[in-house]
Amino acid sequence: MPSSYQRWTVTEPYLDLHCSLGEGPYYEEATNHLRFVDIIKRQLHTVDLGVGPKSLKTLQFDMPVGVTADIEGVDPRKKILIGGKSGVYILDRETGKCDLLKRFLDSEEKDERMRSNDGAIDPQGRFWVGTMNDFWVGEPQAEGSLFRFNSDLSRKILRSSLTIPNSIGWSRDHKTLYFTHSTEKRIIAFDFDVSTGDISNERVFWQHDGNGDPDGFKVDAEGNIWQAIYGESRVLKISPEGKLVGEITYPTKCITCPVFIGTEIWVTTADDHDKTKPYAGAVFKVDVGIVGLKEFKFKLDKKIPGL
């Protein structure tokens, strides 16, 4: 590696709570809370970072939830957007009730085989989310899709025949959309039209050649992508030119998704089923000296009772 290659090593978790599949970390800046999901255990965890790990609160779902997002003009302590089993929902955090806004598919039979995975809000407030086979199906098949839900709740399938669609994000100038397809071990780039949300000019931005699989990522203020590698105990720092320029290593194998909180990167992890090593499913943090790009909020045009 070149001498400028950056390395960080994390040895202890911030929160050792043994998630089966921790995912979707999201920083609520207004409240200084971190929230994240456990897709397998069907839970939403929330931590008040001003108080610390003892403030952990857990909400139990009756379905797998892959991703959450804030809604423009709505207090996230009360209601947030979630990608769930059958589509996009509004979660009432005070009652635990999930109201379905829009289904992924019109056929409930096909719908039953699927669940949401990762997702993100684009600069215009549209919600992008990938779907994949639910756990009961077994080994994931190429039945997943990449969806875009507009502010009026109209939906569009941008890509189909995906197996494990994962993180979605944008370059600093919003002209490029990045999308991780874990199954192909690559980050795919598209030209992105901010006004319409259309994508074009698909190409491979970065191809992973290790044993692990690229999972979630976040983009920093300089345009670097911080890509979690599931199965390799690492988050990789990839430059805007697609070059590997640094890495964070962790004491557990299955790193799932990062999020920036100030200049720190926090990550969720999953159970690696190795009883000889600690911290599988824990949450970790490390200061990397740079902030991430700001998160966007879902702009919902449709009038929803209670919002």
Side-chain angles (χ1 to χ4, degrees):
M1 292 290 178
S3 58
S4 59
Y5 192 80
Q6 296 175 286
R7 295 182 187 273
W8 297 264
T9 301
V10 183
T11 58
E12 300 284 334
Y14 171 81
L15 191 60
D16 189 14
L17 75 170
H18 309 289
C19 287
S20 291
L21 181 52
E23 273 283 9
Y26 189 98
Y27 179 54
E28 298 174 12
E29 189 172 4
T31 64
N32 195 31
H33 283 60
L34 172 71
R35 66 177 189 249
F36 55 98
V37 297
D38 186 329
I39 305 179
I40 291 177
K41 291 182 180 177
R42 303 181 171 190
Q43 293 172 332
L44 174 70
H45 299 292
T46 306
V47 184
D48 182 339
L49 301 184
V51 176
K54 67 181 181 181
S55 67
L56 177 70
K57 293 182 179 179
T58 300
L59 179 65
Q60 186 68 47
F61 296 118
D62 61 1
M63 64 176 172
V65 172
V67 61
T68 72
D70 283 359
I71 305 169
E72 189 77 46
V74 176
D75 186 342
R77 291 171 296 185
K78 297 184 183 300
K79 295 185 179 182
I80 56 174
L81 191 76
I82 63 172
K85 168 63 181 168
S86 301
V88 181
Y89 302 74
I90 288 179
L91 167 66
D92 186 322
R93 298 179 79 176
E94 295 174 326
T95 66
K97 185 183 180 194
C98 298
D99 289 321
L100 181 62
L101 282 180
K102 184 79 170 185
R103 301 186 75 94
F104 290 128
L105 302 165
D106 295 324
S107 163
E108 290 194 31
E109 181 182 354
K110 283 186 179 179
D111 196 67
E112 183 58 30
R113 293 179 60 82
M114 311 305 291
R115 66 168 178 86
S116 72
N117 204 36
D118 207 349
I121 308 294
D122 76 15
Q124 292 292 96
R126 296 167 289 230
F127 182 44
W128 295 66
V129 60
T131 60
M132 62 178 289
N133 284 135
D134 204 348
F135 300 105
W136 67 265
V137 176
E139 190 69 24
Q141 307 299 308
E143 298 177 12
S145 299
L146 177 61
F147 286 88
R148 186 188 73 222
F149 288 87
N150 301 318
S151 296
D152 62 358
L153 296 182
S154 60
R155 69 169 187 238
K156 183 173 182 178
I157 296 176
L158 280 303
R159 286 293 181 273
S160 55
S161 302
L162 301 170
T163 307
I164 305 179
N166 231 305
S167 260
I168 303 150
W170 287 266
S171 58
R172 287 190 300 170
D173 62 7
H174 303 159
K175 293 181 178 179
T176 303
L177 180 147
Y178 300 112
F179 165 61
T180 296
H181 191 212
S182 298
T183 320
E184 295 182 284
K185 295 180 182 282
R186 62 180 51 163
I187 301 173
I188 301 164
F190 300 88
D191 292 347
F192 178 69
D193 187 318
V194 176
S195 61
T196 65
D198 291 337
I199 54 176
S200 59
N201 189 26
E202 178 177 348
R203 66 263 187 201
V204 176
F205 172 76
W206 181 77
Q207 183 72 49
H208 186 55
D209 61 3
N211 293 325
D213 297 322
D215 201 322
F217 72 75
K218 282 293 182 287
V219 182
D220 71 23
E222 294 178 349
N224 301 292
I225 293 176
W226 297 77
Q227 175 68 65
I229 306 295
Y230 189 95
E232 287 186 17
S233 307
R234 298 194 293 168
V235 168
L236 302 182
K237 181 182 180 182
I238 303 163
S239 75
E241 294 72 43
K243 305 296 183 185
L244 188 59
V245 294
E247 67 179 80
I248 311 168
T249 56
Y250 297 88
T252 190
K253 188 182 293 184
C254 299
I255 316 302
T256 55
C257 194
V259 67
F260 278 95
I261 301 179
T263 58
E264 293 178 333
I265 282 187
W266 294 56
V267 298
T268 48
T269 65
D271 189 356
D272 59 10
H273 307 291
D274 183 351
K275 302 301 183 187
T276 67
K277 293 183 179 178
Y279 306 145
V283 172
F284 299 86
K285 64 170 182 160
V286 63
D287 196 319
V288 295
I290 190 168
V291 299
L293 295 180
K294 74 168 187 174
E295 298 280 354
F296 300 103
K297 297 182 180 183
F298 184 58
K299 293 180 180 176
L300 183 58
D301 291 342
K302 188 176 178 182
K303 297 301 180 188
I304 304 295
L307 275 188

